Amino acid sequence: MSAQTTPLAEKAKPEITVFMLVKSLPEWLAFPPDERFRLLGEHVEPVLRQYADDVRLRFYDVEFYATRVTDVWVWEATNHHSYQLLVEALRETPFWDRYFAIVEILPGVENAYAVNYGRQPLAA
């Protein structure tokens, strides 16, 4: 595989990490769990598969501790363009602003403060 087609899981580091804060909406919560998983498979999984070489998604449930958002979707992308295309594809699904409200999008670069100054990042 070339560097451009190596799956993200095999790469050392993403170019960008995006923390997408979302809130589940009443329509989504009204579905029974089996229907939710079916809808994820129908609408979200094809998008994830399409960009799997360049973008990885991790889900975090936060509704136990927060009220403004219910979930944090963490996207790691090897390039900005693939992430942008993935978001465009998601916007064409009912998950964007129908089943979930996108509350805030926080893009970041891991340890940029250290890398930019040629230093080792802090670690615990």
Side-chain angles (χ1 to χ4, degrees):
M1 273 185 178
S2 72
Q4 291 182 324
T5 60
T6 303
L8 181 64
E10 296 176 21
K11 293 189 177 203
K13 247 181 166 182
E15 182 175 294
I16 185 169
T17 301
V18 178
F19 300 88
M20 190 177 286
L21 284 60
V22 302
K23 185 171 184 75
S24 53
L25 296 174
E27 185 174 359
W28 178 252
L29 296 173
F31 293 125
D34 286 344
E35 179 67 2
R36 292 181 199 164
F37 280 94
R38 186 192 70 74
L39 291 166
L40 283 166
E42 179 182 335
H43 297 287
V44 177
E45 284 183 26
V47 175
L48 296 177
R49 277 194 304 273
Q50 183 178 357
Y51 296 97
D53 286 347
D54 297 317
V55 183
R56 175 181 168 204
L57 170 63
R58 291 182 291 153
F59 286 95
Y60 291 86
D61 291 313
V62 299
E63 67 265 10
F64 319 108
Y65 312 106
T67 58
R68 187 168 76 98
V69 299
T70 56
D71 304 274
V72 177
W73 299 347
V74 180
W75 301 95
E76 294 177 328
T78 58
N79 64 74
H80 292 258
H81 191 241
S82 291
Y83 167 75
Q84 292 166 2
L85 292 173
L86 178 136
V87 168
E88 289 293 342
L90 283 177
R91 290 178 67 212
E92 299 298 326
T93 74
F95 279 82
W96 195 276
D97 288 337
R98 179 174 164 193
Y99 297 153
F100 291 89
I102 310 306
V103 176
E104 192 163 357
I105 297 174
L106 304 168
V109 176
E110 185 177 11
N111 294 320
Y113 73 97
V115 172
N116 292 339
Y117 292 102
R119 305 291 177 104
Q120 290 296 316
L122 296 175

